[in-house]
Amino acid sequence: MTSLGLKKGTVKVLPHQTTWHSNFEKQKEQILGLKNKHICAVEHVGSTSVLGMPAKPIVDIIVGVDKYCNKGKLIKDLACIGFEFRFEPRKYQSLFVKTNSGRETHYLKVLRYKGNWWNQYLVFKDVLMNDKKFFERYRKLKLKSRQEFVDNRKAYTRSKSELIARILGV
């Protein structure tokens, strides 16, 4: 079993691990166990959610809330299960991070349930799971970019943005 997590800012892409799915299920159980009335759904997204896709060993989770303005009511609850509020990387998205021994292990984004961002994350996952052409193009791009941007995660992420936009049709 490969350990989960990366030092902030670094890039390491591993072959797909089945443990990523079981880890997500444990996190989902904890999140739903908060019994926060604003949580509508919890989904596993990103490359760790796509069978066979190499990925950074960080589990991406989206939490859908009834109204985005209620995201603030989750900060304390999520902190109780180890998620630290970081910032809002985009309008109507809040990023929380879970760490273990200084390594980022989980990214959790709070979004409006069935809103634009929610839908884009799920469409992207669906395309990668069901379109072999895009799956292969994205896989190759990730493997190439990981070598080029070992210590620059922002550049690694930017290197994938054009293909992601094409997949999403935006």
Side-chain angles (χ1 to χ4, degrees), residues 33-62:
L34 296 171
K35 305 280 190 225
N36 186 298
K37 68 180 182 178
H38 300 290
I39 296 174
C40 300
V42 180
E43 293 286 339
H44 186 192
V45 295
S47 295
T48 61
S49 71
V50 179
L51 189 61
M53 180 64 70
K56 294 184 317 293
I58 299 173
V59 174
D60 288 303
I61 301 167
I62 56 174

Side-chain angles (χ1 to χ4, degrees), residues 67-83:
K67 295 177 186 166
Y68 185 73
C69 61
N70 289 325
K71 57 104 171 121
K73 296 176 176 139
L74 288 175
I75 293 173
K76 192 171 159 183
D77 285 348
L78 289 170
C80 290
I81 59 170
F83 285 96

Side-chain angles (χ1 to χ4, degrees), residues 6 12-14 20 48 54-58 142 153 156 160:
L6 285 178
K12 183 176 184 180
V13 176
L14 303 175
W20 293 336
T48 61
K56 294 184 317 293
I58 299 173
K142 289 171 69 75
R153 193 170 316 158
Y156 168 79
K160 302 180 299 172

